Every structure is written in structure tokens, then in C-alpha cells.
Amino acid sequence: DCVGVGYWYTPSTGLNEGYVATETAGVWTLTTNFGLNASFSFFLEGVSCPVAGTCYAVGSGYTGAGPYVAVTLGLSGGVWSVINVPAAPGAGSAQLVNISCASTASCLVGGYAEPATNTVYGLTETLSPAGWSSQSGIGPTGALSPPIDFLNGAACSPGGPCLVFGTYDDAS
């Protein structure tokens, strides 16, 4: 089985709609109903399946002119549903880009938060046995002030450590 995520734009509504594409025995199916508000425009950009039947997908979305909010979905028992992850303090607008899972209880998500105009910090979500958590304000020493940092990748070894990576602007 294979799983992928993406989104499409619907001109008649002006909204983006995220989807999960699943392949089983050579047949692809799309899942688009995740119980989200019909006026919520959202993107799915990363997916990880640590074991067959358990997957997590991440992205972001917005309603009207509001800020972006992180979107995290989980697959359990054949059903995709929204996972409520606590927002990172001071994150403001938040977008999740990639996820990698070492196990069903260990995942790391990379993204970015924009607490103010022209200020962008790295943002992570983490799944541990204690549950989901998030952290923003992540960036390297030597980055611009205000920072422009993006965590746009995540990688985990099975049963091992995870890391996030990305880019930042510096003074050079």
C-alpha cells in the first residue's frame, strides 16, 4: 500500500481542499472529508506511515483572511480524523510542511511560524508516548534579526532518533 497527500483549488468556492490518496492492490482512492469546516481552505503537504494502518498527515489552512493554522490528521482503524495538537506559544500563523515517524508513538514535524510580519521561526510538532506537543522560536545562532527560518524537512530512523532541517537567512 502507498499513501500520498496533496490539495487542489476549487475556483467556484475559492478554497483549497486537502486530500489523502491511498493505493491498495493497484487501485487509488481519495479521502477528502476530515470533518473540517466547509469554509476552511487547507493544504496537506506531508505524510508518514510508521506501520501499516497507522499514518499521520500534516499541512495548514485558514478561514477567510485569518492566519494559517497547523493541520494534523491521523489514520486509525481505516478512518482519517483531525488530531488536536496544542498550538506553540506565540506561534501566530503556523504552517506544517513535513513529517517523519520512527514508530506509532514517535513522530517529528517540521514547519514554520510567523508571529509578526517579516518574522519567521522554525516550528516543530512532536509525538511521544506522552502525546503531541509543539514548539516555535527555533532557529540557529547567526540568523537575521528578526529571523527568517524555515524547517521544511523531517527524518526519523526506525526506532531511532529524529531530526528536522531547513533554511535560514543570515547577515551575509
Side-chain angles (χ1 to χ4, degrees):
D1 293 358
C2 294
V3 178
V5 296
Y7 59 93
W8 62 70
Y9 176 74
T10 304
S12 62
T13 64
L15 300 175
N16 294 293
E17 184 174 3
Y19 64 82
V20 175
T22 307
E23 178 271 333
T24 304
V27 177
W28 287 90
T29 57
L30 290 181
T31 302
T32 59
N33 185 356
F34 307 106
L36 296 167
N37 184 316
S39 64
F40 188 66
S41 184
F42 71 104
F43 315 82
L44 291 176
E45 299 190 75
V47 64
S48 184
C49 301
V51 297
T54 300
C55 297
Y56 301 99
V58 297
S60 55
Y62 58 89
T63 301
Y68 281 91
V69 295
V71 174
T72 305
L73 304 175
L75 173 67
S76 181
V79 177
W80 284 95
S81 59
V82 174
I83 297 173
N84 292 315
V85 177
S93 183
Q95 298 187 48
L96 302 177
V97 180
N98 207 330
I99 181 171
S100 185
C101 299
S103 70
T104 58
S106 177
C107 297
L108 185 60
V109 179
Y112 52 94
E114 189 173 357
T117 302
N118 297 322
T119 301
V120 182
Y121 288 108
L123 169 70
T124 62
E125 283 188 356
T126 305
L127 173 62
S128 69
W132 285 93
S133 62
S134 58
Q135 178 182 352
S136 68
I138 300 166
T141 302
L144 287 177
S145 182
I148 301 177
D149 307 323
F150 299 92
L151 296 176
N152 49 14
C156 294
S157 299
C162 296
L163 62 91
V164 291
F165 48 92
T167 60
Y168 69 96
D169 286 348
D170 63 17
S172 57

